[in-house]
Amino acid sequence: MATPNGTVVHPAYFLLVGIPGLGPNIHFWLAFPLCFMYALATLGNLAIVLIIRIERRLHEPMYLFLAMLSTIDLVLSSVTMPKMASLFLTGIQKIEFYVCLAQMFLIHALSAMESAVLLGMAFDRFVAICHPLRHASVLTGPNVAKIGLAALTRGFVFFFPLPFILKRLSYCQTHTVTHSFCLHQDIMKLSCTDTTVNVVYGLFIILSVMGVDSLCIGFSYILILRAVLELSSRAAAIKAFNTCVSHLCAVLVFYVPLIGLSVVHRVGGPTSLIHVMMANIYLLLPPVVNPIVYGAKTKEIRSRVLHIFSQDGR
């Protein structure tokens, strides 16, 4: 449907729904566990970043990548959870058009950066297990920094066009976004003009960024598993693979909801409760779960946290 005289129509604001089918009272009570999750994500990720920053013996590739992951999770949770909690608590659904576009860009760009960091962590585990003698020379501090910079640059470059190709569309139908935050595919559906460019570019970046990353991570673990199974000692094999458990958990927590969300959005039909729940899990779960998993499985971080609490208890 074309707009009159070919003009572009932008709404002053969009309306966020929250969770479809739930009344204001349920939304209000859901705000409290959401606030607890945000506090947990903030404190957990901040603690990991500070511990790695302070402890010189943690200035190794695995922990430097973990610090990057926690920083991204810290920013991502701050982009989504406070606005979502405000929506649940106050019932104010409005979000300004340009604020929505900015939130959408940050969500997608930060997700791409997180995917790249998870790939970097997989490469670190691959080199450490399959080529242990080369690990120190390959993953030097400058090389880790270059990987982090590449993750930052790729996330920015690939997703920077999204606000502009959404801005070129007209929105002359409903202005209701069916999630608690702004996502590209959700905003795109509100347009009454041709969205072919958005569909094609959105599919291109999801395949070339997250798709390629997930394939490379999967391939690296095939090589890791083969190397582990070739070890003569079962104890050595278990010890080697145990160093990958935390990363595997982080990969599953990130990619399983992402793949599910991509599938349900491309199956077609109106946005349903399952769309919304998959999007909530994809964005809210990793920032909360990652510091818990790494804090529990990483001896150095766990001991440092226990040391801090033991000092406070005296």
Side-chain angles (χ1 to χ4, degrees):
M1 184 174 109
T3 56
N5 303 321
T7 56
V8 177
V9 179
H10 292 158
Y13 55 84
F14 288 120
L15 297 175
L16 301 173
V17 168
I19 301 177
L22 300 184
N25 290 334
I26 299 177
H27 272 121
F28 177 81
W29 290 110
L30 283 176
F32 294 100
L34 184 63
C35 289
F36 175 74
M37 289 175 64
Y38 179 55
L40 194 63
T42 302
L43 292 174
N45 287 296
L46 193 59
I48 287 177
V49 172
L50 291 176
I51 288 171
I52 294 173
R53 174 71 180 85
I54 293 168
E55 291 287 338
R56 284 195 164 274
R57 61 195 176 96
L58 297 182
H59 291 183
E60 298 177 5
M62 181 173 68
Y63 301 113
L64 294 176
F65 282 126
L66 177 56
M68 294 179 198
L69 186 69
S70 293
T71 302
I72 293 169
D73 282 340
L74 193 61
V75 179
L76 184 60
S77 61
S78 297
V79 167
T80 55
M81 291 189 190
K83 179 61 183 174
M84 193 173 175
S86 173
L87 167 66
F88 287 3
L89 279 172
T90 65
I92 299 175
Q93 297 177 285
K94 291 183 180 179
I95 181 170
E96 293 181 9
F97 178 75
Y98 289 103
V99 174
C100 186
L101 293 187
Q103 186 191 52
M104 179 274 306
F105 165 71
L106 288 172
I107 287 173
H108 290 299
L110 288 166
S111 296
M113 293 173 198
E114 182 154 348
S115 177
V117 171
L118 289 172
L119 176 57
M121 297 173 88
F123 178 65
D124 168 65
R125 291 299 85 208
F126 162 72
V127 177
I129 293 173
C130 299
H131 305 282
L133 297 179
R134 299 179 59 190
H135 185 260
S137 60
V138 172
L139 282 158
T140 61
N143 285 343
V144 172
K146 288 176 185 176
I147 293 173
L149 183 61
L152 180 68
T153 304
R154 189 189 67 165
F156 180 83
V157 169
F158 271 82
F159 290 91
F160 185 70
L162 286 186
F164 298 97
I165 61 176
L166 285 173
K167 191 179 175 184
R168 57 179 278 278
L169 301 176
S170 287
Y171 302 89
C172 41
Q173 298 178 2
T174 177
H175 299 154
T176 302
V177 177
T178 51
H179 290 89
S180 307
F181 30 75
C182 299
L183 298 174
H184 172 252
Q185 57 268 39
D186 208 23
I187 302 172
M188 179 183 67
K189 289 179 180 178
L190 301 179
S191 174
C192 55
T193 47
D194 184 27
T195 60
T196 302
V197 173
N198 299 71
V199 172
V200 172
Y201 188 70
L203 186 60
F204 165 72
I205 55 179
I206 197 71
L207 291 176
S208 59
V209 176
M210 277 74 163
V212 171
D213 288 353
S214 59
L215 286 175
C216 290
I217 291 171
F219 182 65
S220 70
Y221 269 102
I222 291 173
L223 297 177
I224 288 171
L225 189 60
R226 188 180 69 176
V228 167
L229 292 176
E230 288 176 354
L231 292 174
S232 57
S233 168
R234 185 185 178 190
I238 293 173
K239 183 179 179 181
F241 197 74
N242 194 46
T243 62
C244 303
V245 172
S246 298
H247 178 252
L248 271 174
C249 290
V251 168
L252 292 174
V253 166
F254 179 81
Y255 279 107
V256 170
L258 172 63
I259 293 169
L261 182 63
S262 299
V263 169
V264 295
H265 267 294
R266 282 163 178 77
V267 165
T271 303
S272 63
L273 180 61
I274 190 170
H275 290 74
V276 177
M277 294 310 298
M278 289 298 291
N280 288 341
I281 292 170
Y282 165 58
L283 287 178
L284 304 182
L285 200 60
V288 177
V289 171
N290 286 343
I292 295 174
V293 170
Y294 276 98
K297 290 293 295 180
T298 309
K299 181 182 177 182
E300 291 81 359
I301 294 175
R302 185 174 67 248
S303 61
R304 182 64 181 178
V305 171
L306 292 174
H307 177 68
I308 292 171
F309 278 105
S310 64
Q311 281 188 330
D312 291 340
R314 290 176 184 175

